[in-house]
mmCIF file of all heavy atoms in Angstrom:
data_model
loop_
_atom_site.group_PDB
_atom_site.id
_atom_site.type_symbol
_atom_site.label_atom_id
_atom_site.label_comp_id
_atom_site.label_asym_id
_atom_site.label_seq_id
_atom_site.Cartn_x
_atom_site.Cartn_y
_atom_site.Cartn_z
ATOM 1 N N ASN A 682 0.166 -8.161 -14.746
ATOM 2 C CA ASN A 682 -0.828 -8.073 -13.683
ATOM 3 C C ASN A 682 -0.039 -8.399 -12.418
ATOM 4 O O ASN A 682 0.452 -9.516 -12.265
ATOM 5 C CB ASN A 682 -1.951 -9.085 -13.892
ATOM 6 C CG ASN A 682 -2.672 -8.846 -15.197
ATOM 7 O OD1 ASN A 682 -2.340 -9.457 -16.202
ATOM 8 N ND2 ASN A 682 -3.623 -7.958 -15.186
ATOM 9 N N VAL A 683 0.137 -7.421 -11.556
ATOM 10 C CA VAL A 683 1.034 -7.542 -10.411
ATOM 11 C C VAL A 683 0.324 -8.239 -9.256
ATOM 12 O O VAL A 683 -0.796 -7.888 -8.895
ATOM 13 C CB VAL A 683 1.564 -6.154 -9.988
ATOM 14 C CG1 VAL A 683 2.411 -6.245 -8.725
ATOM 15 C CG2 VAL A 683 2.365 -5.541 -11.129
ATOM 16 N N ILE A 684 1.002 -9.219 -8.676
ATOM 17 C CA ILE A 684 0.464 -10.015 -7.573
ATOM 18 C C ILE A 684 0.825 -9.365 -6.241
ATOM 19 O O ILE A 684 1.956 -8.921 -6.041
ATOM 20 C CB ILE A 684 0.998 -11.458 -7.642
ATOM 21 C CG1 ILE A 684 0.502 -12.122 -8.932
ATOM 22 C CG2 ILE A 684 0.579 -12.264 -6.412
ATOM 23 C CD1 ILE A 684 1.138 -13.452 -9.233
ATOM 24 N N GLY A 685 -0.153 -9.319 -5.352
ATOM 25 C CA GLY A 685 0.063 -8.755 -4.022
ATOM 26 C C GLY A 685 -0.994 -9.246 -3.053
ATOM 27 O O GLY A 685 -1.540 -10.338 -3.219
ATOM 28 N N GLU A 686 -1.292 -8.414 -2.061
ATOM 29 C CA GLU A 686 -2.255 -8.768 -1.012
ATOM 30 C C GLU A 686 -3.175 -7.592 -0.737
ATOM 31 O O GLU A 686 -2.752 -6.435 -0.808
ATOM 32 C CB GLU A 686 -1.518 -9.130 0.276
ATOM 33 C CG GLU A 686 -0.585 -10.312 0.143
ATOM 34 C CD GLU A 686 0.303 -10.531 1.349
ATOM 35 O OE1 GLU A 686 0.379 -9.653 2.251
ATOM 36 O OE2 GLU A 686 0.942 -11.605 1.391
ATOM 37 N N VAL A 687 -4.422 -7.902 -0.389
ATOM 38 C CA VAL A 687 -5.401 -6.879 -0.017
ATOM 39 C C VAL A 687 -5.591 -6.917 1.491
ATOM 40 O O VAL A 687 -5.750 -7.986 2.084
ATOM 41 C CB VAL A 687 -6.757 -7.100 -0.722
ATOM 42 C CG1 VAL A 687 -7.799 -6.100 -0.231
ATOM 43 C CG2 VAL A 687 -6.602 -7.004 -2.231
ATOM 44 N N TYR A 688 -5.572 -5.733 2.094
ATOM 45 C CA TYR A 688 -5.827 -5.567 3.525
ATOM 46 C C TYR A 688 -6.955 -4.572 3.709
ATOM 47 O O TYR A 688 -7.101 -3.628 2.931
ATOM 48 C CB TYR A 688 -4.575 -5.043 4.252
ATOM 49 C CG TYR A 688 -3.505 -6.090 4.366
ATOM 50 C CD1 TYR A 688 -2.629 -6.331 3.319
ATOM 51 C CD2 TYR A 688 -3.387 -6.864 5.517
ATOM 52 C CE1 TYR A 688 -1.659 -7.318 3.405
ATOM 53 C CE2 TYR A 688 -2.428 -7.859 5.608
ATOM 54 C CZ TYR A 688 -1.567 -8.074 4.550
ATOM 55 O OH TYR A 688 -0.621 -9.060 4.640
ATOM 56 N N GLU A 689 -7.729 -4.789 4.760
ATOM 57 C CA GLU A 689 -8.711 -3.815 5.196
ATOM 58 C C GLU A 689 -8.059 -3.047 6.335
ATOM 59 O O GLU A 689 -7.532 -3.654 7.271
ATOM 60 C CB GLU A 689 -9.966 -4.536 5.687
ATOM 61 C CG GLU A 689 -11.082 -3.609 6.084
ATOM 62 C CD GLU A 689 -12.308 -4.415 6.466
ATOM 63 O OE1 GLU A 689 -12.278 -5.058 7.544
ATOM 64 O OE2 GLU A 689 -13.275 -4.404 5.682
ATOM 65 N N VAL A 690 -8.046 -1.712 6.231
ATOM 66 C CA VAL A 690 -7.379 -0.881 7.239
ATOM 67 C C VAL A 690 -8.279 0.260 7.664
ATOM 68 O O VAL A 690 -9.172 0.677 6.914
ATOM 69 C CB VAL A 690 -6.030 -0.325 6.704
ATOM 70 C CG1 VAL A 690 -5.089 -1.444 6.283
ATOM 71 C CG2 VAL A 690 -6.230 0.659 5.563
ATOM 72 N N ASP A 691 -8.034 0.783 8.859
ATOM 73 C CA ASP A 691 -8.771 1.956 9.314
ATOM 74 C C ASP A 691 -8.009 3.230 8.947
ATOM 75 O O ASP A 691 -6.918 3.181 8.359
ATOM 76 C CB ASP A 691 -9.069 1.873 10.818
ATOM 77 C CG ASP A 691 -7.840 1.937 11.709
ATOM 78 O OD1 ASP A 691 -6.717 2.209 11.219
ATOM 79 O OD2 ASP A 691 -7.992 1.708 12.928
ATOM 80 N N ASP A 692 -8.588 4.383 9.280
ATOM 81 C CA ASP A 692 -7.975 5.670 8.961
ATOM 82 C C ASP A 692 -6.581 5.824 9.573
ATOM 83 O O ASP A 692 -5.676 6.371 8.948
ATOM 84 C CB ASP A 692 -8.851 6.836 9.458
ATOM 85 C CG ASP A 692 -10.163 6.956 8.712
ATOM 86 O OD1 ASP A 692 -10.236 6.530 7.538
ATOM 87 O OD2 ASP A 692 -11.137 7.483 9.303
ATOM 88 N N THR A 693 -6.407 5.323 10.795
ATOM 89 C CA THR A 693 -5.122 5.437 11.481
ATOM 90 C C THR A 693 -4.045 4.651 10.747
ATOM 91 O O THR A 693 -2.935 5.149 10.524
ATOM 92 C CB THR A 693 -5.246 4.951 12.943
ATOM 93 O OG1 THR A 693 -6.282 5.704 13.587
ATOM 94 C CG2 THR A 693 -3.944 5.118 13.702
ATOM 95 N N MET A 694 -4.364 3.425 10.343
ATOM 96 C CA MET A 694 -3.405 2.610 9.594
ATOM 97 C C MET A 694 -3.126 3.229 8.229
ATOM 98 O O MET A 694 -1.975 3.248 7.771
ATOM 99 C CB MET A 694 -3.925 1.183 9.436
ATOM 100 C CG MET A 694 -2.989 0.263 8.656
ATOM 101 S SD MET A 694 -1.366 -0.011 9.428
ATOM 102 C CE MET A 694 -1.822 -1.138 10.751
ATOM 103 N N LEU A 695 -4.148 3.750 7.574
ATOM 104 C CA LEU A 695 -3.947 4.374 6.261
ATOM 105 C C LEU A 695 -2.982 5.554 6.385
ATOM 106 O O LEU A 695 -2.091 5.728 5.547
ATOM 107 C CB LEU A 695 -5.283 4.816 5.667
ATOM 108 C CG LEU A 695 -5.256 5.222 4.200
ATOM 109 C CD1 LEU A 695 -4.837 4.072 3.308
ATOM 110 C CD2 LEU A 695 -6.630 5.746 3.777
ATOM 111 N N LYS A 696 -3.120 6.312 7.458
ATOM 112 C CA LYS A 696 -2.200 7.433 7.691
ATOM 113 C C LYS A 696 -0.773 6.926 7.951
ATOM 114 O O LYS A 696 0.196 7.495 7.461
ATOM 115 C CB LYS A 696 -2.688 8.272 8.878
ATOM 116 C CG LYS A 696 -1.883 9.522 9.105
ATOM 117 C CD LYS A 696 -2.465 10.377 10.213
ATOM 118 C CE LYS A 696 -1.603 11.602 10.405
ATOM 119 N NZ LYS A 696 -2.128 12.475 11.434
ATOM 120 N N ALA A 697 -0.637 5.830 8.697
ATOM 121 C CA ALA A 697 0.688 5.241 8.944
ATOM 122 C C ALA A 697 1.310 4.750 7.635
ATOM 123 O O ALA A 697 2.507 4.939 7.390
ATOM 124 C CB ALA A 697 0.586 4.094 9.957
ATOM 125 N N LEU A 698 0.495 4.126 6.785
ATOM 126 C CA LEU A 698 0.991 3.659 5.484
ATOM 127 C C LEU A 698 1.390 4.835 4.600
ATOM 128 O O LEU A 698 2.414 4.786 3.905
ATOM 129 C CB LEU A 698 -0.062 2.797 4.791
ATOM 130 C CG LEU A 698 -0.417 1.485 5.483
ATOM 131 C CD1 LEU A 698 -1.560 0.786 4.741
ATOM 132 C CD2 LEU A 698 0.787 0.582 5.611
ATOM 133 N N ASP A 699 0.595 5.907 4.627
ATOM 134 C CA ASP A 699 0.949 7.117 3.873
ATOM 135 C C ASP A 699 2.310 7.641 4.316
ATOM 136 O O ASP A 699 3.112 8.080 3.492
ATOM 137 C CB ASP A 699 -0.103 8.209 4.067
ATOM 138 C CG ASP A 699 -1.374 7.980 3.268
ATOM 139 O OD1 ASP A 699 -1.407 7.067 2.409
ATOM 140 O OD2 ASP A 699 -2.351 8.727 3.518
ATOM 141 N N GLY A 700 2.581 7.578 5.620
ATOM 142 C CA GLY A 700 3.880 8.010 6.137
ATOM 143 C C GLY A 700 5.005 7.118 5.640
ATOM 144 O O GLY A 700 6.046 7.608 5.180
ATOM 145 N N LEU A 701 4.814 5.812 5.711
ATOM 146 C CA LEU A 701 5.832 4.875 5.241
ATOM 147 C C LEU A 701 6.105 5.075 3.757
ATOM 148 O O LEU A 701 7.259 5.084 3.327
ATOM 149 C CB LEU A 701 5.388 3.431 5.488
ATOM 150 C CG LEU A 701 6.293 2.356 4.880
ATOM 151 C CD1 LEU A 701 7.642 2.310 5.601
ATOM 152 C CD2 LEU A 701 5.628 0.996 4.911
ATOM 153 N N GLU A 702 5.056 5.241 2.984
ATOM 154 C CA GLU A 702 5.194 5.364 1.532
ATOM 155 C C GLU A 702 5.482 6.797 1.085
ATOM 156 O O GLU A 702 5.602 7.060 -0.104
ATOM 157 C CB GLU A 702 3.925 4.851 0.845
ATOM 158 C CG GLU A 702 3.564 3.425 1.197
ATOM 159 C CD GLU A 702 4.570 2.381 0.727
ATOM 160 O OE1 GLU A 702 5.637 2.743 0.194
ATOM 161 O OE2 GLU A 702 4.282 1.193 0.887
ATOM 162 N N SER A 703 5.589 7.709 2.034
ATOM 163 C CA SER A 703 5.852 9.114 1.743
ATOM 164 C C SER A 703 4.863 9.665 0.710
ATOM 165 O O SER A 703 5.239 10.301 -0.268
ATOM 166 C CB SER A 703 7.295 9.309 1.270
ATOM 167 O OG SER A 703 7.623 10.677 1.270
ATOM 168 N N HIS A 704 3.595 9.378 0.962
ATOM 169 C CA HIS A 704 2.504 9.900 0.121
ATOM 170 C C HIS A 704 2.162 11.294 0.610
ATOM 171 O O HIS A 704 1.993 11.492 1.809
ATOM 172 C CB HIS A 704 1.279 8.995 0.225
ATOM 173 C CG HIS A 704 0.016 9.617 -0.269
ATOM 174 N ND1 HIS A 704 -0.224 9.824 -1.606
ATOM 175 C CD2 HIS A 704 -1.062 10.083 0.384
ATOM 176 C CE1 HIS A 704 -1.411 10.388 -1.744
ATOM 177 N NE2 HIS A 704 -1.940 10.548 -0.551
ATOM 178 N N PRO A 705 2.108 12.288 -0.212
ATOM 179 C CA PRO A 705 2.178 12.280 -1.672
ATOM 180 C C PRO A 705 3.546 12.704 -2.227
ATOM 181 O O PRO A 705 3.668 12.958 -3.431
ATOM 182 C CB PRO A 705 1.125 13.311 -2.050
ATOM 183 C CG PRO A 705 1.245 14.343 -0.965
ATOM 184 C CD PRO A 705 1.584 13.557 0.294
ATOM 185 N N ASP A 706 4.577 12.767 -1.392
ATOM 186 C CA ASP A 706 5.876 13.269 -1.846
ATOM 187 C C ASP A 706 6.619 12.318 -2.777
ATOM 188 O O ASP A 706 7.304 12.752 -3.687
ATOM 189 C CB ASP A 706 6.776 13.595 -0.642
ATOM 190 C CG ASP A 706 6.179 14.682 0.227
ATOM 191 O OD1 ASP A 706 5.574 15.607 -0.325
ATOM 192 O OD2 ASP A 706 6.302 14.570 1.463
ATOM 193 N N LEU A 707 6.513 11.016 -2.539
ATOM 194 C CA LEU A 707 7.188 10.039 -3.384
ATOM 195 C C LEU A 707 6.148 9.198 -4.121
ATOM 196 O O LEU A 707 6.051 9.250 -5.333
ATOM 197 C CB LEU A 707 8.103 9.142 -2.545
ATOM 198 C CG LEU A 707 8.895 8.079 -3.304
ATOM 199 C CD1 LEU A 707 9.828 8.720 -4.320
ATOM 200 C CD2 LEU A 707 9.692 7.217 -2.327
ATOM 201 N N TYR A 708 5.377 8.424 -3.382
ATOM 202 C CA TYR A 708 4.301 7.637 -3.984
ATOM 203 C C TYR A 708 3.027 8.472 -3.999
ATOM 204 O O TYR A 708 2.849 9.364 -3.180
ATOM 205 C CB TYR A 708 3.998 6.394 -3.143
ATOM 206 C CG TYR A 708 5.030 5.304 -3.181
ATOM 207 C CD1 TYR A 708 6.078 5.267 -2.274
ATOM 208 C CD2 TYR A 708 4.935 4.268 -4.108
ATOM 209 C CE1 TYR A 708 7.005 4.237 -2.283
ATOM 210 C CE2 TYR A 708 5.859 3.233 -4.124
ATOM 211 C CZ TYR A 708 6.888 3.228 -3.212
ATOM 212 O OH TYR A 708 7.796 2.204 -3.217
ATOM 213 N N SER A 709 2.126 8.103 -4.907
ATOM 214 C CA SER A 709 0.774 8.664 -4.915
ATOM 215 C C SER A 709 -0.194 7.512 -4.677
ATOM 216 O O SER A 709 -0.090 6.469 -5.324
ATOM 217 C CB SER A 709 0.466 9.327 -6.253
ATOM 218 O OG SER A 709 1.276 10.459 -6.424
ATOM 219 N N ARG A 710 -1.100 7.728 -3.755
ATOM 220 C CA ARG A 710 -2.094 6.695 -3.444
ATOM 221 C C ARG A 710 -3.309 6.926 -4.333
ATOM 222 O O ARG A 710 -3.990 7.938 -4.234
ATOM 223 C CB ARG A 710 -2.469 6.760 -1.959
ATOM 224 C CG ARG A 710 -3.506 5.740 -1.558
ATOM 225 C CD ARG A 710 -3.680 5.608 -0.058
ATOM 226 N NE ARG A 710 -3.695 6.799 0.721
ATOM 227 C CZ ARG A 710 -4.778 7.535 0.985
ATOM 228 N NH1 ARG A 710 -5.955 7.223 0.471
ATOM 229 N NH2 ARG A 710 -4.688 8.597 1.762
ATOM 230 N N LEU A 711 -3.575 5.965 -5.228
ATOM 231 C CA LEU A 711 -4.688 6.047 -6.168
ATOM 232 C C LEU A 711 -5.580 4.817 -6.025
ATOM 233 O O LEU A 711 -5.102 3.746 -5.644
ATOM 234 C CB LEU A 711 -4.172 6.108 -7.611
ATOM 235 C CG LEU A 711 -3.173 7.213 -7.954
ATOM 236 C CD1 LEU A 711 -2.671 7.041 -9.378
ATOM 237 C CD2 LEU A 711 -3.803 8.578 -7.772
ATOM 238 N N GLU A 712 -6.844 4.962 -6.366
ATOM 239 C CA GLU A 712 -7.745 3.814 -6.352
ATOM 240 C C GLU A 712 -7.705 3.112 -7.707
ATOM 241 O O GLU A 712 -7.686 3.757 -8.753
ATOM 242 C CB GLU A 712 -9.178 4.250 -6.047
ATOM 243 C CG GLU A 712 -9.406 4.517 -4.574
ATOM 244 C CD GLU A 712 -10.862 4.738 -4.263
ATOM 245 O OE1 GLU A 712 -11.464 5.635 -4.870
ATOM 246 O OE2 GLU A 712 -11.403 4.015 -3.411
ATOM 247 N N ASP A 713 -7.691 1.789 -7.660
ATOM 248 C CA ASP A 713 -7.723 0.980 -8.868
ATOM 249 C C ASP A 713 -8.301 -0.387 -8.496
ATOM 250 O O ASP A 713 -8.494 -0.683 -7.317
ATOM 251 C CB ASP A 713 -6.330 0.837 -9.468
ATOM 252 C CG ASP A 713 -6.363 0.578 -10.971
ATOM 253 O OD1 ASP A 713 -7.436 0.216 -11.511
ATOM 254 O OD2 ASP A 713 -5.314 0.725 -11.617
ATOM 255 N N HIS A 714 -8.558 -1.202 -9.501
ATOM 256 C CA HIS A 714 -9.195 -2.495 -9.269
ATOM 257 C C HIS A 714 -8.176 -3.626 -9.205
ATOM 258 O O HIS A 714 -7.211 -3.647 -9.960
ATOM 259 C CB HIS A 714 -10.215 -2.779 -10.380
ATOM 260 C CG HIS A 714 -11.381 -1.860 -10.319
ATOM 261 N ND1 HIS A 714 -11.444 -0.686 -11.024
ATOM 262 C CD2 HIS A 714 -12.528 -1.935 -9.601
ATOM 263 C CE1 HIS A 714 -12.581 -0.071 -10.764
ATOM 264 N NE2 HIS A 714 -13.259 -0.804 -9.894
ATOM 265 N N VAL A 715 -8.446 -4.558 -8.296
ATOM 266 C CA VAL A 715 -7.646 -5.781 -8.180
ATOM 267 C C VAL A 715 -8.598 -6.972 -8.199
ATOM 268 O O VAL A 715 -9.765 -6.862 -7.828
ATOM 269 C CB VAL A 715 -6.769 -5.813 -6.907
ATOM 270 C CG1 VAL A 715 -5.784 -4.653 -6.892
ATOM 271 C CG2 VAL A 715 -7.598 -5.820 -5.642
ATOM 272 N N ARG A 716 -8.065 -8.091 -8.636
ATOM 273 C CA ARG A 716 -8.828 -9.333 -8.721
ATOM 274 C C ARG A 716 -8.398 -10.256 -7.587
ATOM 275 O O ARG A 716 -7.215 -10.546 -7.435
ATOM 276 C CB ARG A 716 -8.548 -10.008 -10.068
ATOM 277 C CG ARG A 716 -9.322 -11.279 -10.334
ATOM 278 C CD ARG A 716 -9.041 -11.834 -11.739
ATOM 279 N NE ARG A 716 -9.390 -10.857 -12.775
ATOM 280 C CZ ARG A 716 -8.494 -10.184 -13.524
ATOM 281 N NH1 ARG A 716 -7.207 -10.385 -13.372
ATOM 282 N NH2 ARG A 716 -8.893 -9.328 -14.427
ATOM 283 N N ILE A 717 -9.369 -10.713 -6.801
ATOM 284 C CA ILE A 717 -9.100 -11.653 -5.715
ATOM 285 C C ILE A 717 -8.659 -12.979 -6.330
ATOM 286 O O ILE A 717 -9.300 -13.491 -7.249
ATOM 287 C CB ILE A 717 -10.367 -11.854 -4.845
ATOM 288 C CG1 ILE A 717 -10.765 -10.545 -4.160
ATOM 289 C CG2 ILE A 717 -10.161 -12.965 -3.829
ATOM 290 C CD1 ILE A 717 -9.754 -9.992 -3.199
#
Side-chain angles (χ1 to χ4, degrees):
N682 299 94
V683 175
I684 297 170
E686 299 171 349
V687 175
Y688 288 83
E689 184 176 71
V690 302
D691 66 9
D692 292 333
T693 304
M694 180 63 75
L695 192 62
K696 186 175 179 179
L698 295 175
D699 283 351
L701 173 69
E702 303 295 5
S703 193
H704 164 72
D706 298 323
L707 181 61
Y708 288 90
S709 293
R710 179 168 42 88
L711 305 175
E712 282 189 304
D713 206 344
H714 292 93
V715 299
R716 183 176 301 109
I717 296 297

